[in-house]
Amino acid sequence: VYKRQDKAELLPLVELGLNHEQQHQELMLTDILHLMSCNPMLPAVREGLPPEAQTVAGGWHDYDAGEAEVGHDAAAFCFDNETPRHRVLLQPYSLANRLVTNAEYQAFIDDRGYQTPSLWLSEGWAMVQSQGWRAPLYWLDDQREFSLYGAHRRQADQPVRHLSFHESVAYAE
């Protein structure tokens, strides 16, 4: 039997445990997706089609150079790799007001993005070369993509998914 103050001390451990378990569940779904993608039948784990995201007209937000703080402020739960909070110096930049669509990423592919070394970080370019990357993971050659819903037609206006860090950087370049 715990005293009231002991329960308060346990709360951060319970919160950590729950968040840690959530990570395991996410990884399990990722592993199931990859395992099913290796099956030539491309079986579905879920019925129907993936839910569609709401898309908005494209636009950009411009930001000035300056100093910014990044990292968690530790006022609420966070994992240790989200700290310490620290300052970074930013150059001027622009961000889109929405996610990149499949059609926009297809244009990157059509514009020889996977054959243009200057767009890639050196480690990313090495992976493109050694692993033969030509499109995002789970894109199929026939305008379909694979998800937990099986193989389905890729929707041009939906957000592109399953990009690696290196693909994201190359696209941004």
Side-chain angles (χ1 to χ4, degrees):
V1 177
Y2 294 104
K3 297 178 187 174
R4 182 173 282 285
Q5 65 269 21
D6 293 332
K7 289 180 183 178
E9 292 172 8
L10 287 177
L11 184 60
L13 292 175
V14 171
E15 188 174 22
L16 174 63
L18 291 172
N19 280 281
H20 184 80
E21 180 60 30
Q22 183 180 15
Q23 280 187 317
H24 282 291
Q25 292 174 14
E26 291 171 359
L27 287 172
M28 203 162 33
L29 286 174
T30 301
D31 289 345
I32 289 169
L33 175 64
H34 183 70
L35 179 65
M36 294 300 179
S37 77
C38 296
N39 182 325
M41 300 290 289
L42 298 174
V45 174
R46 297 181 172 159
E47 292 183 11
L49 293 172
E52 290 191 7
Q54 296 293 328
T55 55
V56 296
W60 294 88
H61 298 286
D62 296 323
Y63 296 90
D64 295 327
E67 221 176 66
E69 288 194 8
V70 297
H72 199 277
D73 64 9
F77 175 81
C78 70
F79 287 105
D80 58 356
N81 63 344
E82 298 173 292
T83 63
R85 190 163 182 84
H86 58 283
R87 293 182 182 174
V88 294
L89 181 61
L90 299 174
Q91 299 301 318
Y93 64 99
S94 299
L95 286 178
N97 67 351
R98 62 168 175 75
L99 300 173
V100 174
T101 66
N102 286 324
E104 291 166 331
Y105 200 82
Q106 183 64 56
F108 168 78
I109 294 170
D110 294 344
D111 196 35
R112 302 181 44 82
Y114 282 87
Q115 289 85 43
T116 308
S118 61
L119 299 176
W120 296 80
L121 297 173
S122 59
E123 182 181 339
W125 182 247
M127 294 181 82
V128 167
Q129 298 301 295
S130 68
Q131 297 183 17
W133 290 359
R134 297 292 174 255
L137 187 62
Y138 308 126
W139 275 28
L140 307 173
D141 290 338
D142 56 359
Q143 297 300 308
R144 294 183 305 156
E145 65 180 307
F146 183 74
S147 74
L148 292 174
Y149 295 87
H152 48 86
R153 185 153 188 76
R154 193 166 55 247
Q155 300 297 314
D157 65 342
Q158 290 299 294
V160 65
R161 301 180 301 158
H162 306 280
L163 294 182
S164 71
F165 166 77
H166 294 295
E167 287 167 309
S168 299
V169 169
Y171 179 84
E173 284 298 316

